[in-house]
Amino acid sequence: MEIDMAADELKSVLNRLRRAQGQLAAIIRMIEEGRDCEDVITQMAAVSRALDRAGFAIIATGLQHCMADDGAEPADRDQMRARLEKLFLSLA
């Protein structure tokens, strides 16, 4: 399954991932500096949410494309649905 996203959808996902990357770097610095555990965990939760939201956006786009593909064979649609469901559950 390829990622076939519109430019605005792709930009949004990439922004989320870049933000998460920055937050993760900040968490590493916080741990190296011996910062408060509560602050570190709060930032880790924020990174986790950012990654989840990026993943859900990618899956939602896949679902949208899958549902729009009326020319696909029922078996192909069922297989795609099962793959997308598995991906979705991996983030849940």
Side-chain angles (χ1 to χ4, degrees):
M1 178 177 7
E2 294 179 23
I3 297 178
D4 183 22
M5 301 176 77
D8 58 332
E9 294 168 333
L10 184 59
K11 184 178 178 181
S12 174
V13 169
L14 288 174
N15 284 341
R16 284 184 196 281
L17 292 173
R18 286 186 182 107
R19 192 173 321 125
Q21 184 179 33
Q23 288 173 314
L24 187 55
I27 291 168
I28 292 168
R29 279 193 307 275
M30 291 171 75
I31 292 171
E32 290 173 343
E33 294 169 359
R35 295 275 300 272
D36 182 64
C37 181
E38 187 175 342
D39 293 339
V40 172
I41 297 300
T42 299
Q43 288 303 310
M44 289 179 76
V47 169
S48 180
R49 282 190 305 274
L51 291 174
D52 286 346
R53 293 190 75 168
F56 288 135
I58 291 169
I59 292 170
T61 300
L63 284 170
Q64 183 179 19
H65 288 284
C66 180
M67 297 308 213
D69 190 7
D70 292 333
E73 295 292 323
D76 292 338
R77 280 194 302 243
D78 290 343
Q79 183 181 19
M80 181 62 75
R81 182 190 168 281
R83 290 172 65 193
L84 288 167
E85 182 178 345
K86 183 178 178 180
L87 287 171
F88 180 79
L89 291 173
S90 73
L91 291 174

